[in-house]
Amino acid sequence: MAEAAERPRSRLLFLLPALVFVALVVLFGVQLISGRNPAEVPSVLINKPVPSFNLAPLEGLLADGKPVPGFSNADLKGRVTVVNVWASWCAPCRQEHPLLVDLARDPSVRVVGINQKDNPDNARRFLGALGNPYAAVGVDPNGRASIDWGVYGVPETFIVGPDGTIRHKHIGPLTPENFSAFKERLSQIPRA
């Protein structure tokens, strides 16, 4: 009698891995069919005002002989702005930097940077060696402002509309492969 009770239990244990496998296949299939990019992490800040912040400038950073200013949330109104969160210690930031320099040549877009948890000397050297695409650089020494922006890690890039709302969030580095799509999103934001 005990042997008969063991058979259904052993069959259930035998079928359990197969049931888990089928459940995973269904889950992944639904994700594939949905068309959603699993690499994109949705942001609750999209179409919301930028968080309140006021970042000091990167001391000693000059452009055309003048100090490059820091910036605050109030400075992000009036025109389309690309906000790039970066650090000199970030290898992907170095890889995306030429694309930001190229983007900064577009007079209809303002590019600003949040320098996150970085050594000021290293940050200045980074921009000195690679070029400074930023109209303003705010220093976020403890990462608090970046957290308020919902930053997972550097680099991350945001598009802010002229009304001061976050219109797009790009996680990870801008690359030649995704730069066209980023610029397309940028072109869809109405100018002030």
Side-chain angles (χ1 to χ4, degrees), residues 9 14 39 48 52 89 117 167 170 179 181 183 186-187:
R9 203 177 294 169
F14 178 74
K48 299 248 171 47
S52 182
W89 46 262
K117 296 182 180 180
R167 301 302 179 104
H170 180 86
F179 194 52
K183 284 177 38 174
L186 189 56
S187 72

Side-chain angles (χ1 to χ4, degrees), residues 53-61 68-71 82-91 93-94 96-97 100 111-128 130-134 136-147 149 151 153-156 158:
F53 68 96
N54 187 9
L55 298 175
L58 178 58
E59 274 199 46
L61 182 63
V68 174
F71 66 102
V82 171
V83 179
N84 178 250
V85 183
W86 65 282
S88 64
W89 46 262
C90 162
C93 296
R94 182 173 292 274
E96 80 172 355
H97 201 78
L100 293 169
V111 180
V112 299
I114 296 176
N115 183 236
Q116 185 192 48
K117 296 182 180 180
D118 207 350
N119 176 296
D121 292 331
N122 293 343
R124 280 190 301 277
R125 273 194 292 276
F126 178 94
L127 295 175
L130 301 176
N132 180 10
Y134 306 117
V137 176
V139 176
D140 188 14
N142 60 9
R144 182 70 222 163
S146 300
I147 290 169
W149 279 79
V151 171
V154 292
E156 288 191 20
F158 298 83

Side-chain angles (χ1 to χ4, degrees), residues 10-187:
S10 66
R11 283 186 193 154
L12 183 61
L13 286 176
F14 178 74
L15 289 176
L16 188 62
L19 292 172
V20 169
F21 177 75
V22 168
L24 286 173
V25 167
V26 168
L27 177 69
F28 291 134
V30 168
Q31 287 292 323
L32 257 166
I33 293 170
S34 74
R36 187 180 161 279
N37 182 352
E40 286 186 19
V41 178
S43 174
V44 296
L45 297 176
I46 300 300
N47 296 320
K48 299 248 171 47
V50 297
S52 182
F53 68 96
N54 187 9
L55 298 175
L58 178 58
E59 274 199 46
L61 182 63
L62 303 174
D64 300 324
K66 298 177 190 158
V68 174
F71 66 102
S72 70
N73 55 298
D75 298 316
L76 299 180
K77 291 188 175 180
R79 64 187 296 190
V80 175
T81 305
V82 171
V83 179
N84 178 250
V85 183
W86 65 282
S88 64
W89 46 262
C90 162
C93 296
R94 182 173 292 274
Q95 293 168 346
E96 80 172 355
H97 201 78
L99 298 173
L100 293 169
V101 170
D102 181 52
L103 186 62
R105 292 185 184 114
D106 181 348
S108 70
V109 176
R110 181 176 188 231
V111 180
V112 299
I114 296 176
N115 183 236
Q116 185 192 48
K117 296 182 180 180
D118 207 350
N119 176 296
D121 292 331
N122 293 343
R124 280 190 301 277
R125 273 194 292 276
F126 178 94
L127 295 175
L130 301 176
N132 180 10
Y134 306 117
V137 176
V139 176
D140 188 14
N142 60 9
R144 182 70 222 163
S146 300
I147 290 169
D148 291 344
W149 279 79
V151 171
Y152 293 95
V154 292
E156 288 191 20
T157 307
F158 298 83
I159 299 172
V160 177
D163 58 352
T165 60
I166 297 172
R167 301 302 179 104
H168 176 69
K169 177 181 181 178
H170 180 86
I171 298 172
L174 294 170
T175 65
E177 294 78 25
N178 64 35
F179 194 52
S180 293
F182 182 82
K183 284 177 38 174
E184 177 63 29
R185 289 247 187 173
L186 189 56
S187 72

